[in-house]
Amino acid sequence: MRTTSFSTVVLTLTFLLISFCNVFAENSGRVTKNLVTDSPQDWVWSKKVGPLAKQYVGITQFMSFINFLEYCHKNGMQPAEVTSAEENNALIQYLDDFENPKYFWLGGADIGREGRYYWIASLQEFNYTSWGQGYPNGGREENCATIYGGDGTWFDQYCDNDQIWPICQIVTE
């Protein structure tokens, strides 16, 4: 049984969302960064994907959605956005490299706009999805998007679930 009140979660996430939006707005919705060879040991790099040379970085640490957003930001990255079938398929292949299929955070939520998911970094509403059948189904409780590493299906999860691995992204031009 969840003991955190819905209003506390919404206020906390709204505050964090506003903070992250301000930071990401300074970068015009994209983070540009040279890839470094001495990245932390818990980072797992993907191949570059799509027209903007997006590169996903899976972090092999469990964390909540809020900690995921903070982790990506502190390391000069964005929470992962999947905006096409091409990106989703590339991400599925990348996630196959992990030992077991797992759930991974995506950088999207419907916090404050129930049923309308948007990407935290770009503030764009989802225009592509790969929701599992009957999802999203969490109503006002499960507001954060995840991808299942086994088949690339998306699910909504409790944002305070701290048993999910994050996927950040770096976008280079």
Side-chain angles (χ1 to χ4, degrees):
M1 174 174 260
R2 302 268 174 202
T3 58
T4 306
S5 75
F6 175 72
S7 60
T8 301
V9 171
V10 169
L11 286 174
T12 302
L13 290 173
T14 302
F15 171 76
L16 285 170
L17 177 61
I18 290 168
S19 299
F20 284 111
C21 291
N22 288 334
V23 169
F24 291 128
E26 293 171 9
N27 291 316
S28 301
R30 291 194 285 198
V31 172
T32 57
K33 178 178 180 174
N34 292 326
L35 300 180
V36 293
T37 56
D38 58 347
S39 60
Q41 197 170 5
D42 59 349
W43 288 16
V44 181
W45 293 89
S46 75
K47 294 179 180 173
K48 293 183 179 180
V49 178
L52 291 176
K54 184 182 291 185
Q55 189 163 18
Y56 297 110
V57 181
I59 291 85
T60 57
Q61 294 178 18
F62 291 119
M63 57 185 75
S64 69
F65 188 78
I66 292 171
N67 291 340
F68 151 58
L69 297 177
E70 181 179 26
Y71 186 95
C72 293
H73 170 68
K74 282 185 176 179
N75 287 284
M77 298 180 283
Q78 298 174 339
E81 295 184 4
V82 180
T83 59
S84 69
E86 175 191 14
E87 289 179 6
N88 203 63
N89 290 334
L91 193 52
I92 293 167
Q93 290 177 352
Y94 166 58
L95 297 178
D96 279 345
D97 291 341
F98 289 85
E99 267 184 45
N100 298 306
K102 293 178 176 42
Y103 288 94
F104 296 82
W105 288 119
L106 294 174
D110 73 342
I111 300 162
R113 293 170 35 181
E114 183 58 38
R116 294 178 59 195
Y117 275 78
Y118 56 93
W119 298 112
I120 301 293
S122 66
L123 303 178
Q124 298 296 313
E125 194 163 344
F126 285 14
N127 59 6
Y128 166 82
T129 64
S130 185
W131 293 116
Q133 185 173 353
Y135 287 87
N137 69 351
R140 293 179 183 243
E141 293 183 8
E142 295 178 350
N143 294 299
C144 296
T146 60
I147 184 170
Y148 180 65
D151 63 7
T153 302
W154 298 6
F155 298 93
D156 51 341
Q157 296 278 347
Y158 290 99
C159 299
D160 62 351
N161 183 337
D162 61 2
Q163 296 299 303
I164 298 176
W165 288 5
I167 302 175
C168 302
Q169 69 182 24
I170 296 172
V171 180
T172 57
E173 299 190 39

